[in-house]
Amino acid sequence: MKPSFEIELLYEAIDFLENLDSKTREKIYYNLKKSQFVSDIELFKKINDSIWEFRTLYNSKAYRLFAFWDKVDGKDTLVIATHGILKKTQKTPSKEIKKAEDIRKQYLENKNK
């Protein structure tokens, strides 16, 4: 079975994952892979027009990796994960969404050069 999209992790997302314990990291990688094959808002949810989040609940903690879509051959087939957080409240911090939007803008500007 072919995945619905590919995932690319930017440096900050990799750094976030590398600083987690191995069991938590494995669970997040498992959910990233699973989200490529099943459409489930518990795993991959749209936050606003341009930003999405990969969601993992593990050991009663909510982990989030922020992401956006990029087009390959005119289709939304690549998801770029910008950075991650351990979510401490119900509401997603707006500064984290803004950070993801800024990284997206910079990524797209550099891509088109």
Side-chain angles (χ1 to χ4, degrees), residues 21-81:
D21 67 88
S22 62
K23 294 273 189 208
T24 303
R25 187 171 43 251
E26 285 173 23
K27 178 65 174 176
I28 292 172
Y29 277 126
Y30 172 82
N31 281 349
L32 288 173
K33 195 76 176 155
K34 186 175 177 183
S35 71
Q36 293 177 288
F37 295 95
V38 295
S39 181
D40 182 351
I41 64 166
E42 292 303 314
L43 295 175
F44 189 51
K45 182 179 178 183
K46 188 173 188 173
I47 298 177
N48 65 24
D49 287 341
S50 57
I51 303 301
W52 292 64
E53 66 180 357
F54 288 105
R55 304 156 54 100
T56 297
L57 186 62
Y58 184 68
N59 282 343
S60 302
K61 294 180 182 172
Y63 297 90
R64 299 292 186 261
L65 275 177
F66 295 91
F68 61 89
W69 288 89
D70 189 12
K71 292 184 186 309
V72 177
D73 298 327
K75 297 181 184 141
D76 285 337
T77 55
L78 178 64
V79 175
I80 311 293

